[in-house]
Every structure is written in structure tokens, then in C-alpha cells.
Amino acid sequence: MHEMGIALQIIEIAAASIPAEMKPVQVETIRIRVGKMSAVIPENLNFCFEVASKDTDVEGATLCIDEVPVVARCKSCNHQWTLSGPAFRCESCQSGDIELISGQELDIVSIEIAT
Amino acid sequence: MEIQVVKKVLDANLTVANQNRDRFSRHCVFAINVMSSPGSGKTTLLEKTLTRLAPEFRAGVVVGDVSTTHDAERLARSGAPVVQVNTDEFGGDCHLAAHVVASAIDRFDLDQLDLLIIENVGNLVCPAEFDIGEDAKVVVLSVTEGEDKPVKYPLMFRVCDVAVLNKIDLLPYLDYDRNAAIDYIHQVHGGMPIFELSAKSEAGFEGWLDWLRNGIRRKIGG
């Protein structure tokens, strides 16, 4: 399980995003985008975040996880579609020469601070 | 009040991975990251690979395991310098992160190497997520695992550059559909080169060694 390392990174980045003049402040939400193809299990990430954020600047914050679907584009016929399973072949022309447009994200989008 | 952040969570890892990549380029070392499930035969594959390439190239190995130095001891018998990384010192991680590889490569004289093999922790999930600055990612799948591993762990097969299908010497004794396995790999990663071989008997080894030779020569030449 590598979610603990990811949780620690999220805590570090989120804490560093709080403007110094506002500290201490309650961070209510940390919004992240997780691609469905990234090897992250949201439940594990939530659990790790809760444990690891204790006694940090983001203690008590809720992780808001937006799952991003896996979207592919065929390089041969330009067809674009959302994958519902691990079949990386163009559903239109059957070519295997495709690129992933989304689905591997692991981004922090924003933090919501109590006012 | 909402504060926009928009930052990749793995940025810190990527920064160190890029530093590793620069070091490999500066010293003209071809670095490969070898990943698989536990028991796929990675260590045997690498033992034989090191022995076969020893007359032509200078190779070093970083071995990642949660614990024990068993694999490092086996690989060191080839005469290549081996650095063992036990991830329990880093929290028992299931993968090698870029900073762990960075500290391991400090222990090599990179000018004395043409090839650096990084044997990742046996796991088809987490190692796929972490760039370590390698030139190529290799996934090893053995015929004693299910044919459908590629579709069960698609990220791993998607991010890797080549696949090794190992233990083909066992095919006569198994109810294993190699065509199905190959189809599954290509379903996840169309056109991915697959080297079907037996690390034990060294059948089918030449294609794999040639791929390595080409990679090394390109890097040395560059």
C-alpha cells in the first residue's frame, strides 16, 4: 500500500499552500483529482490521510476525491471514448495505437479554508 | 475561502526522478526498472542476464525488497556491484521511490557502468506509479501466473516499454494459454514487444539480450 506516501505528500503540499499570514487556520477541505487508472484506492488514501494529518496544519480537513475517468484517443482514426475496462484498443477501428487523454491524474486542485 | 493549488502530488518524486535521469545521461548509463509480481523469476532472469552480458558491458544492480538480502547475494555472485535497498527502512514501502534510488546510486561509480538494473519490489501495482528516472521500464510475467494479469493490473502493462514472458520451459506441464496472455498484453498496450523466454534454460534469451544491447549502445553512443 503506497497511499501513505501519497497522503504525506498531499499534507505537505496542502500545508505549504496556506498563506503564512492566515495561520493557524482550519483547512476544511482538500480537493484532489485521482485518475481511475492511477493505482490509488480512495478508501486507503482517506484512511492514511486521517492518520497522517494529525498534529499538522491540515488536521481535521476532509479529502474530497474527484475520480477522473479514463479517456482515450485513437491515433489512427481520432476516435475518442471513455474506457469502462482495461481494453486499450480503439472501439471504432480496433487499432492499439492509442493515447490516454485522462485517467492517470493525481493532482491537488484546491484547499478550502474556514473564514 | 478556496485557494487554488493545482499541483501534482507526485511532483516531489518526479523532481528527484529527473535528477536521476540527468545523472544516468551524464554518465552514459542505460538504466532499466524491472518490475513483476513476487516469484515471476526476476532474480533468475537478472542473474543470467548479468552473466551473459558481463563480457560485453559493465553492469550494476540496485535490488529493492521489503526485507532480506537474499536476492542481492545471488546477484552479487555474477561479479557485478550490487546495492541492496530494504524498503522497511523507509516504512516498508511496496515500491522504490525516486529518492530511494537516488541514495542507492550514490554508492556506485557510475563512470564504471554501462547498464544499471533496478530490480523493483515484487508488486504489480505501486511500482507502476513511481517514475525513478529510468530509461526503460520492463515488466516480467511468468506462465505460472494467470493469463489475465495484464488486464487485472493494466497500469503496469500500460507504462512498461517491454514485457518478458518467463518460465516458458514449464508450458508443457501447464494448462496455460500463451496466446491469450499475449492478447491480453496487447489489449492493454498495443504493439508492446514481448520476449518469451526461460531464464532457467535460457531458451529465447537472445531477443531480450539484443534489446538490452541496443539500449546500452544507444546510451553509450549518445
Side-chain angles (χ1 to χ4, degrees):
Chain A
M1 186 167 85
H2 61 304
E3 281 83 355
M4 184 55 90
I6 290 169
L8 291 168
Q9 291 288 320
I10 291 172
I11 292 162
E12 200 181 313
I13 295 169
S17 310
I18 304 169
E21 66 275 13
M22 291 181 84
K23 286 185 187 176
V25 70
Q26 176 63 49
V27 176
E28 291 180 332
T29 310
I30 301 172
R31 182 174 289 272
I32 61 170
R33 279 158 49 86
V34 177
K36 286 198 81 161
M37 260 253 307
S38 71
V40 171
I41 300 165
E43 292 80 5
N44 288 353
L45 187 57
N46 271 321
F47 172 77
C48 293
F49 176 79
E50 210 179 303
V51 172
S53 61
K54 289 231 160 52
D55 300 322
T56 71
D57 287 348
V58 297
E59 180 174 359
T62 306
L63 267 192
C64 177
I65 303 175
D66 294 331
E67 278 202 313
V68 183
V70 183
V71 175
R73 189 186 70 84
C74 176
K75 290 185 186 173
S76 303
C77 75
N78 220 23
H79 177 64
Q80 192 168 312
W81 77 106
T82 301
L83 277 72
S84 54
F88 297 79
R89 212 170 264 167
C90 177
E91 58 178 19
S92 173
C93 75
Q94 303 304 311
S95 163
D97 191 16
I98 65 166
E99 65 173 337
L100 292 186
I101 292 172
S102 72
Q104 283 181 265
E105 294 78 0
L106 191 49
D107 304 332
I108 296 194
V109 180
S110 62
I111 58 172
E112 181 84 28
I113 286 173
T115 47
Chain B
M1 175 187 154
E2 192 181 17
I3 298 174
Q4 300 296 319
V5 182
V6 196
K7 199 167 162 109
K8 291 196 184 304
V9 175
L10 295 177
D11 264 359
N13 185 73
L14 189 60
T15 302
V16 181
N18 285 332
Q19 289 163 358
N20 291 347
R21 212 177 328 272
D22 288 346
R23 284 174 77 179
F24 295 139
S25 288
R26 246 189 347 267
H27 296 278
C28 300
V29 177
F30 182 60
I32 60 165
N33 178 7
V34 184
M35 297 174 275
S36 78
S37 327
S40 66
K42 273 196 308 294
T43 309
T44 305
L45 172 76
L46 298 180
E47 274 180 309
K48 298 288 178 75
T49 302
L50 289 168
T51 307
R52 293 282 294 271
L53 289 180
E56 301 161 68
F57 301 107
R58 304 162 299 174
V61 192
V62 176
V63 183
D65 267 314
V66 174
S67 73
T68 84
T69 54
H70 294 173
D71 289 356
E73 288 160 24
R74 282 174 59 189
L75 293 168
R77 281 182 218 133
S78 70
V82 177
V83 169
Q84 170 84 47
V85 178
N86 283 140
T87 57
D88 58 359
E89 292 165 23
F90 305 93
D93 257 344
C94 45
H95 62 275
L96 293 180
H99 71 278
V100 178
V101 173
S103 59
I105 55 182
D106 285 341
R107 292 160 65 186
F108 289 97
D109 180 355
L110 292 180
D111 283 329
Q112 296 303 314
L113 294 183
D114 306 310
L115 169 69
L116 184 71
I117 298 173
I118 301 155
E119 182 180 343
N120 218 310
V121 180
N123 172 357
L124 284 176
V125 184
C126 316
E129 191 75 74
F130 290 81
D131 186 352
I132 54 177
E134 70 282 84
D135 292 293
K137 293 184 202 291
V138 178
V139 57
V140 181
L141 180 67
S142 61
V143 299
T144 51
E145 301 165 53
E147 293 93 344
D148 57 354
K149 283 286 184 294
V151 283
K152 284 185 171 173
Y153 303 95
L155 181 65
M156 176 60 77
F157 288 83
R158 191 72 207 159
V159 298
C160 279
D161 301 285
V162 295
V164 170
L165 188 60
N166 191 21
K167 305 190 187 179
I168 57 165
D169 53 309
L170 294 177
L171 281 173
Y173 313 105
L174 299 171
D175 185 17
Y176 186 85
D177 185 344
R178 65 168 275 281
N179 292 327
I182 289 167
D183 277 351
Y184 279 132
I185 292 174
H186 285 153
Q187 183 179 317
V188 173
H189 190 155
M192 187 189 213
I194 302 170
F195 301 111
E196 296 177 65
L197 56 82
S198 161
K200 192 177 172 198
S201 73
E202 297 183 39
F205 233 63
E206 277 312 313
W208 157 245
L209 292 179
D210 282 343
W211 176 80
L212 279 170
R213 286 183 184 109
N214 287 337
I216 297 166
R217 286 189 188 122
R218 263 202 313 276
K219 203 68 194 277
I220 295 174

